[in-house]
Amino acid sequence: MLDIRRFDIYRKIPKDLTQPTTAGAVISMLCVAFIAFMIFNDVLAYIFIDLRSEFFIDDPGREGKIDVQVNVSFPHMACEYLGVDIQDENGRHEVGFIDHTNKMPIGDGGCRFESRFEINKVPGNFHLSTHSAATQPDNYDMRHTIHSIKFGDDVSHKNLKGSFDPLANRDTSQENGLNTHEYILKIVPSVHEDYSGNILNSYQYTFGHKSYITYHHSGKIIPAVWFKYELQPITLKQTEQRQSFYAFLTSICAVVGGTFTVAGIIDSTFFTISELVKKQQMGKLT
């Protein structure tokens, strides 16, 4: 009958034929500690997601359109006077856009203005003003707090590093209420692909700001809040990557096997040297 034990390449040595040493014990403990540390780091590398960034020239997202979300509070301007106007170099000129617009009274005669709309991928602007109101207020005061100005898909739940909403929490309450505010936005398309292959098309932007007094053709001071935008031709793509399970197992095996091999060589070297020293001391080394 065939004895399967003949195929064992890991032959066992009886304990009474082995000799423990202090150096071997120290090396073994260091070896175990090192393996535990390396395995812990490999587990972290497997669990956590890396984000790879690259730049290229492209026009991602929906053809020719960008979604915009506006959320701004005007503590001293009533809702009935406020509206959003949209215009661009394609010839669009829409005064008093009302679709997907919500105006909520706040405080003593103030208004929180929220709106969602689309803009074309060409230079243009949208502005919050009283231009579309049936009647103009007796007193103008366009001091405001910007809660958010976002473009494209919402990526706030991704906790990404970047300039996706740099105007958030901007407060102009200390400025002159008659000032017109102008924000110059440089928009950069930003594509985010998670490790499951889902794609979000958002936009990062930087801004410049200036405020000034402007006069209507009638001679009256009619302030507004302008957002003038221009798209950049370069797209930033961020891709989530996770180490494969195969690579994780390979790394674990390499750590364990390599550490035990190197530790065995070190232990064997120490043991051989110590034996030579003992023989030298006993005068047995010729």
Side-chain angles (χ1 to χ4, degrees):
M1 184 176 180
L2 180 63
D3 187 358
I4 195 173
R5 290 180 298 176
R6 294 172 54 189
F7 299 102
D8 185 4
I9 62 176
Y10 300 102
R11 299 297 179 94
K12 311 304 183 292
I13 301 175
K15 276 193 174 183
D16 56 357
L17 297 180
T18 61
Q19 179 182 346
T21 63
T22 302
V26 172
I27 293 173
S28 297
M29 289 187 290
L30 291 175
C31 176
V32 171
F34 179 76
I35 289 175
F37 173 76
M38 294 300 293
I39 289 178
F40 176 74
N41 281 280
D42 279 342
V43 170
L44 289 182
Y46 177 70
I47 292 176
F48 289 104
I49 297 171
D50 291 328
L51 197 62
R52 185 187 68 184
S53 298
E54 58 181 325
F55 289 94
F56 56 92
I57 297 177
D58 196 5
D59 182 17
R62 293 188 302 117
E63 184 68 26
K65 299 290 184 181
I66 301 176
D67 293 320
V68 183
Q69 300 177 48
V70 174
N71 190 336
V72 183
S73 288
F74 294 86
H76 309 289
M77 183 63 67
C79 289
E80 62 184 290
Y81 300 114
L82 289 170
V84 58
D85 310 328
I86 308 167
Q87 57 190 45
D88 59 38
E89 292 186 1
N90 271 0
R92 180 182 185 184
H93 190 182
E94 189 168 352
V95 179
F97 177 86
I98 58 174
D99 294 339
H100 308 293
T101 297
N102 187 25
K103 296 187 283 187
M104 297 171 290
I106 57 173
D108 185 15
C111 183
R112 181 159 181 159
F113 187 94
E114 298 179 1
S115 185
R116 297 172 62 95
F117 51 88
E118 295 178 340
I119 57 175
N120 296 316
K121 291 182 178 179
V122 295
N125 73 78
F126 55 90
H127 51 279
L128 308 180
S129 67
T130 63
H131 298 165
S132 61
T135 59
Q136 293 296 306
D138 295 330
N139 298 298
Y140 294 92
D141 191 333
M142 295 299 284
R143 286 179 291 177
H144 58 275
T145 298
I146 299 177
H147 303 292
S148 67
I149 302 290
K150 297 179 181 179
F151 298 87
D153 296 331
D154 186 9
V155 294
S156 58
H157 62 288
K158 289 291 184 179
N159 295 319
L160 299 177
K161 293 181 179 179
S163 184
F164 293 96
D165 192 9
L167 281 172
N169 302 316
R170 181 172 179 81
D171 184 9
T172 65
S173 59
Q174 301 304 312
E175 296 199 28
N176 186 343
L178 292 176
N179 279 353
T180 284
H181 296 268
E182 187 174 307
Y183 297 95
I184 310 298
L185 313 181
K186 300 294 185 180
I187 303 175
V188 178
S190 180
V191 180
H192 179 80
E193 181 177 353
D194 65 22
Y195 63 88
S196 299
N198 300 315
I199 294 177
L200 294 173
N201 294 295
S202 189
Y203 296 82
Q204 301 187 51
Y205 65 93
T206 59
F207 72 92
H209 171 261
K210 61 180 179 180
S211 56
Y212 50 87
I213 298 293
T214 183
Y215 292 88
H216 189 256
H217 59 78
S218 63
K220 294 181 60 178
I221 298 176
I222 302 181
V225 180
W226 292 74
F227 299 90
K228 298 182 177 181
Y229 58 86
E230 182 177 341
L231 268 74
Q232 304 303 301
I234 296 177
T235 295
L236 169 65
K237 183 176 182 181
Q238 297 177 312
T239 307
E240 292 181 355
Q241 293 182 324
R242 171 176 283 173
Q243 186 184 49
S244 67
F245 186 67
Y246 169 78
F248 171 68
L249 287 181
T250 301
S251 179
I252 294 296
C253 292
V255 167
V256 175
T259 304
F260 272 120
T261 300
V262 173
I265 294 173
I266 295 174
D267 180 57
S268 178
T269 302
F270 269 103
F271 181 75
T272 301
I273 294 174
S274 65
E275 288 297 305
L276 289 174
V277 171
K278 288 179 182 179
K279 289 182 180 181
Q280 178 68 34
Q281 291 174 345
M282 297 173 63
K284 293 184 179 182
L285 187 63
T286 58

